[in-house]
Amino acid sequence: STTHSGGLDLTGRHVVVSAGGTRERLDPVRFLGNRSSGRQGYALARAAAARGAEVTLVAANVTLPDPAGVKVVRVESTAELRDAVLSAAAAADAVVMAAAPADFRPVHRSETKIKKAEDGSAPSITLEQNPDILKELSSERPRPGAVIVGFAAETGDDSGSVLDLARAKLARKGCDLLVVNDVSGGAVFGAEDNEAVVLAADGTAVDVPRGSKGALAHVIWDQVAARLPSS
Ligand code: CTP
Ligand code: CA
């Protein structure tokens, strides 16, 4: 496990971390999902517990073992993730949205298995947008003074660089910190290592060199701890 200089600096704090990828059911055997492994969220939960925090980990479809000393709440869909995060956030000093919520869900969920048609035609699936949990947390502020943290995996595109897009996303979401992964070069999904920039709404940016997800987790908690109101 990764060491840090913070000691038990999160003692007496309650933090909420979401992890994994949500699934939106199409029928009893199929879902829309994504490749998030939950590793970064689990590393955050472990690191916060090691620093003395009371941790609620909201886990969406993660196959990793429960971290010791952490309360784990299991969810499947974005709607369930939203309910679990918002209810835990009421008592939280910090909320870190490391999960990858499905952005869309099917308008209709079939109660029976969708069958192939004889004529070779394929069904159309109509999607609707899911609620944006991070945006809601950031605007509603269920607990005043709590630090709200988002994640973003970005590739640059015609409209801007990774950092331009990330700054715009931070402003759009209204959170306090945004942890940005540059995924132009390949996959972060399922990887052991991570490299990131922690952007803050107050304008600072902390570069985190390639290292373990545990090491990144501790840098994130350092940034959170520096912004917590004194208890
Ligand atoms: N997020 C959320 N609720 C959603 C979608 C995303 O809370 N319905 C959170 C993620 O957990 C993450 C942050 O928002 O912390 C950014 O996620 P991202 O997918 O990058 O943001 P989107 O607004 O969905 O933008 P994009 O169109 O780039 O997917
Ligand atoms: Ca998204």
Side-chain angles (χ1 to χ4, degrees):
S1 98
T2 308
T3 53
H4 63 99
S5 55
L8 293 171
D9 61 346
L10 296 177
T11 301
R13 306 291 193 173
H14 180 193
V15 304
V16 178
V17 178
S18 70
T22 64
R23 293 178 179 178
E24 304 295 338
R25 286 204 208 174
L26 283 163
D27 71 11
V29 297
R30 303 187 180 94
F31 58 84
L32 297 175
N34 64 70
R35 294 169 56 208
S36 177
S37 69
R39 281 206 174 95
Q40 185 62 63
Y42 273 52
L44 279 155
R46 267 194 302 276
R51 290 165 78 146
E54 184 192 325
V55 183
T56 302
L57 175 59
V58 183
N61 310 295
V62 181
T63 54
L64 302 168
D66 289 358
V70 165
K71 180 185 177 195
V72 181
V73 179
R74 295 195 175 274
V75 298
E76 180 170 324
S77 64
T78 295
E80 288 172 15
L81 179 69
R82 174 179 172 276
D83 288 350
V85 167
L86 291 184
S87 86
D93 298 290
V95 182
V96 182
M97 285 296 299
D103 290 334
F104 309 102
R105 63 170 174 247
V107 171
H108 301 290
R109 177 198 290 187
S110 176
E111 294 301 325
T112 53
K113 189 184 168 197
I114 299 167
K115 303 298 286 182
K116 286 192 290 190
E118 288 296 340
D119 65 1
S121 67
S124 298
I125 298 165
T126 307
L127 303 177
E128 61 190 351
Q129 239 183 68
N130 268 324
D132 189 324
I133 303 161
L134 180 63
K135 205 170 179 177
E136 191 172 343
L137 279 170
S138 302
S139 63
E140 304 286 314
R141 298 282 167 173
R143 181 155 186 209
V147 179
I148 313 289
V149 185
F151 270 75
E154 302 285 348
T155 64
D157 64 22
D158 293 345
S159 68
S161 69
V162 167
L163 276 185
D164 294 337
L165 293 173
R167 277 268 168 229
K169 186 168 279 184
L170 174 64
R172 198 162 63 239
K173 299 280 188 179
C175 53
D176 303 303
L177 296 169
L178 188 72
V179 183
V180 184
N181 293 126
D182 181 343
V183 291
S184 337
V188 173
F189 293 104
E192 288 294 342
D193 278 8
N194 218 342
E195 179 182 4
V197 182
V198 184
L199 293 182
D202 54 34
T204 64
V206 175
D207 271 295
V208 188
R210 179 156 293 281
S212 70
K213 292 189 174 184
L216 174 57
H218 279 297
V219 176
I220 294 166
W221 290 125
D222 290 344
Q223 293 303 308
V224 169
R227 288 170 175 80
L228 287 171
S230 50
S231 50

